């Protein structure tokens, strides 16, 4: 899942760069530029937040496994 999200994040970053380039070339109106850049930026942010949720879930899973192991050893 993280690999897929990372690929999505990378494609959003590329899309932002492409939109910036097209804007610099004068190929987009200011309105289109702002809408497209905002859309890709929001998608990138949502993807990063989803990645962080998964990563923090994995960390707490590892911690709880360590806690469980430690409790078994103390018995």
């Amino acid at each position: 899942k993280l690999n897929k999200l990372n690929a999505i994040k990378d494609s959003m970053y590329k899309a932002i760069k492409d939109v910036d380039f097209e804007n610099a070339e004068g190929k987009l109106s200011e309105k289109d530029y702002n809408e497209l850049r905002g859309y890709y930026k929001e998608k990138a942010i949502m993807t990063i937040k989803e990645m962080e949720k998964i990563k923090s879930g994995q960390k707490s899973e590892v911690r709880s496994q360590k806690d469980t192991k430690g409790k078994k050893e103390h018995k």
Side-chain angles (χ1 to χ4, degrees), residues 57-73:
Q58 287 175 347
K59 286 178 188 173
S60 62
E61 220 175 85
V62 169
R63 272 190 228 120
S64 67
Q65 287 174 356
K66 285 181 182 177
D67 291 345
T68 304
K69 286 180 184 177
K71 288 176 183 171
K72 286 180 183 175
E73 291 172 6

Side-chain angles (χ1 to χ4, degrees), residues 4 7 15-17 20 26 34 38 43 53 55 59 63 70:
K4 182 179 177 181
I16 291 169
K17 287 180 186 179
D20 287 346
N34 289 330
K43 291 287 254 184
K53 275 201 297 193
K55 286 178 184 177
K59 286 178 188 173
R63 272 190 228 120

Side-chain angles (χ1 to χ4, degrees), residues 4 7-8 11 29 32 34 54 68 72:
K4 182 179 177 181
I8 293 169
S11 70
S29 70
D32 287 344
N34 289 330
I54 291 170
T68 304
K72 286 180 183 175

Side-chain angles (χ1 to χ4, degrees), residues 24-75:
E25 294 285 308
K27 296 180 180 179
L28 293 173
S29 70
E30 196 65 27
K31 179 180 182 265
D32 287 344
Y33 169 70
N34 289 330
E35 286 178 7
L36 286 168
R37 194 172 202 291
Y39 171 79
Y40 292 126
K41 182 179 175 182
E42 185 62 30
K43 291 287 254 184
I45 290 168
M46 289 174 15
T47 303
I48 291 166
K49 286 181 179 179
E50 183 67 23
M51 290 171 72
E52 288 173 352
K53 275 201 297 193
I54 291 170
K55 286 178 184 177
S56 68
Q58 287 175 347
K59 286 178 188 173
S60 62
E61 220 175 85
V62 169
R63 272 190 228 120
S64 67
Q65 287 174 356
K66 285 181 182 177
D67 291 345
T68 304
K69 286 180 184 177
K71 288 176 183 171
K72 286 180 183 175
E73 291 172 6
H74 292 298
K75 286 184 179 180

